[in-house]
Amino acid sequence: MSLLVAKNLQIQFQTKKGIITAVRDVSFTIEEGETLGVVGESGCGKSITNMALMGLLPENAIVTADELSFNGVNLLGISEKQWQDIRGGKMGMIFQDPMNSLNPCYTVEDQIDEVLRIHCPEMSKHQRHEKILSLLLDVGIPAPKERLKAYPHELSGGMSQRIMIAMAIACNPKLLIADEPTTALDVTVQQQILELIEKLQVEHNMSVIFVSHDLSVVKDITKKIQVMYAGEIIESGLTKDIIESPQHPYTKGLLDSIPSFHESKDDELFSIPGLVPDLHARPQGCQFEGRCFHRKDDCQSKWPLLEKATDRVYRCHYPLEKK
Ligand SMILES: Nc1ncnc2c1ncn2[C@@H]1O[C@H](COP(=O)(O)OP(=O)(O)OP(=O)(O)O)[C@@H](O)[C@H]1O
Ligand SMILES: [Mg+2]
């Protein structure tokens, strides 16, 4: 049984200008211990897809799916109490902005202690204290005893993200959702946090969903990649295959925009021309058609369905040839 199953997930929002469909026909599974990278430009639905998995979408959201289940629990229609048990329990999460995610009024120890008190009520105060110290060591905080009494403003960005990670893994989650966890950090710290997530994933045999707008960030730490565009999965498959031989022109465009992948380093770096479509006026056919170098006449009128081959899925009438 897969740890997570999403089948035909759709997320709509009621807005002043009417209902928009921000995510549609999104289907994927995650197995135990597997790392999935989710990439795509800003606004393509990466975060709201994860928010739906965590039950954190705002009130104006309408979520439907043929199936949305985690660890054997049907997530559609569960109560807020059940969400609270899942979040921070079997599902941990870290976000882009660690400095603003921590509560400025609580010490490091108090913040982690709160997670343990809620999700592990059987632990004594002493056991929780010991667990917090071992968590801090686990996430690479030097001199953890001295850090226990620190407040968030005394921590660097990288240190804050390590504390967020300690909170996320405190209850041994089966799934860690990391939404752009390194975007707000400087480059050297980014690399350290990536290495930490990779280490913890292996040690705890967690599944990880790692969201980034940058393919170069996810390519080394994920087994599978899912590329999103305008709220749809437009390509997914094994990371190695996607990087070596993208079949959707959008994926190829993302790869060509990465400096180290760029064939001629002397040329100006490639960037995909144009903008993502307005969700209030979605194109009738392929959502990427207006920006695509590979389009043909019927791309504008016919919406491409997902083509499924072994280990590879793409949504394109005229995919690039496999290398
Ligand atoms: N509360 C809301 N009401 C209406 N539309 C929303 C709401 N929240 C998100 N959206 C829309 O859903 C779309 C997807 O947003 P999402 O935050 O998932 O993008 P993203 O891929 O995570 O982008 P980024 O890389 O910038 O984080 C956006 O077009 C956004 O405008
Ligand atoms: Mg986002």
Side-chain angles (χ1 to χ4, degrees):
M1 187 183 69
S2 301
L3 179 65
L4 184 97
V5 181
K7 269 194 205 148
N8 192 17
L9 172 67
Q10 173 169 280
I11 304 171
Q12 296 179 305
F13 290 104
Q14 270 159 336
T15 72
K16 283 190 185 136
K17 281 162 65 187
I19 290 186
I20 55 164
T21 303
V23 161
R24 63 181 188 181
D25 194 23
V26 161
S27 300
F28 61 98
T29 55
I30 296 176
E31 310 305 322
E32 292 211 11
E34 192 171 66
T35 307
L36 170 73
V38 182
V39 294
E41 280 165 294
S42 190
C44 68
K46 305 180 298 293
S47 293
I48 56 169
T49 300
N50 285 316
M51 293 294 189
L53 303 179
M54 298 184 283
L56 288 177
L57 283 169
E59 292 226 316
N60 67 331
I62 307 157
V63 179
T64 55
D66 293 340
E67 181 177 352
L68 192 63
S69 63
F70 168 68
N71 202 25
V73 177
N74 174 8
L75 298 176
L76 294 167
I78 62 172
S79 67
E80 188 47 36
K81 166 83 184 72
Q82 287 170 297
W83 275 121
Q84 281 168 12
D85 287 344
I86 292 175
R87 286 195 299 258
K90 291 278 169 269
M91 199 188 276
M93 53 224 164
I94 47 174
F95 299 104
Q96 180 170 341
D97 190 355
M99 310 284 240
N100 287 330
S101 302
L102 291 167
N103 187 328
C105 307
Y106 289 113
T107 62
V108 165
E109 177 160 25
D110 290 343
Q111 319 236 2
I112 307 177
D113 194 53
E114 191 180 354
V115 179
L116 292 173
R117 269 190 293 122
I118 294 172
H119 292 284
C120 311
E122 71 288 352
M123 283 175 98
S124 68
K125 193 167 182 351
H126 176 71
Q127 284 171 327
R128 294 201 305 269
H129 178 76
E130 293 300 311
K131 173 79 182 174
I132 293 167
L133 280 175
S134 85
L135 279 167
L136 292 185
L137 276 177
D138 224 10
V139 298
I141 300 273
K145 274 196 176 140
E146 279 123 69
R147 291 285 161 194
L148 286 177
K149 300 290 165 231
Y151 284 89
H153 73 269
E154 298 171 83
L155 306 171
S156 64
M159 204 72 94
S160 304
Q161 195 57 294
R162 285 175 196 270
I163 302 294
M164 291 304 299
I165 294 172
M167 288 163 69
I169 63 162
C171 303
N172 299 318
K174 282 179 171 284
L175 173 67
L176 176 71
I177 298 181
D179 193 344
E180 308 241 15
T182 61
T183 309
L185 306 173
D186 67 51
V187 178
T188 46
V189 183
Q190 271 188 18
Q191 193 52 37
Q192 293 166 6
I193 297 291
L194 286 181
E195 283 165 16
L196 173 62
I197 294 174
E198 215 177 352
K199 173 191 98 117
L200 294 171
Q201 187 271 325
V202 174
E203 282 175 7
H204 296 253
N205 191 32
M206 284 184 299
S207 306
V208 177
I209 299 181
F210 194 104
V211 177
S212 175
H213 56 267
D214 188 345
L215 253 172
S216 63
V217 170
V218 298
K219 73 177 174 39
D220 295 326
I221 60 162
T222 56
K223 182 176 169 228
K224 289 194 306 193
I225 286 185
Q226 186 164 294
V227 184
M228 293 190 72
Y229 186 78
E232 299 173 350
I233 294 175
I234 54 94
E235 181 157 17
S236 74
L238 295 174
T239 303
K240 164 175 121 344
D241 296 345
I242 299 254
I243 301 283
E244 279 171 14
S245 177
Q247 286 190 266
H248 198 292
Y250 178 63
T251 315
K252 169 98 171 74
L254 287 182
L255 283 166
D256 287 347
S257 318
I258 302 174
S260 56
F261 277 68
H262 200 229
E263 279 155 19
S264 164
K265 299 219 162 48
D266 300 332
D267 289 350
E268 231 176 83
L269 196 58
F270 176 78
S271 75
I272 303 170
L275 295 171
V276 286
D278 177 359
L279 297 180
H280 286 283
R282 275 186 180 276
Q284 184 191 342
C286 170
Q287 304 299 292
F288 186 59
E289 181 269 338
R291 306 171 72 186
C292 183
F293 66 88
H294 211 238
R295 69 174 168 256
K296 302 217 178 357
D297 288 347
D298 52 351
C299 296
Q300 202 176 14
S301 54
K302 265 192 352 207
W303 183 47
L305 298 176
L306 275 180
E307 295 289 335
K308 290 183 187 147
T310 330
D311 283 344
R312 181 74 74 98
V313 169
Y314 55 86
R315 191 188 287 281
C316 181
H317 294 307
Y318 301 100
L320 305 173
E321 257 176 52
K322 244 183 167 171
K323 276 187 201 154

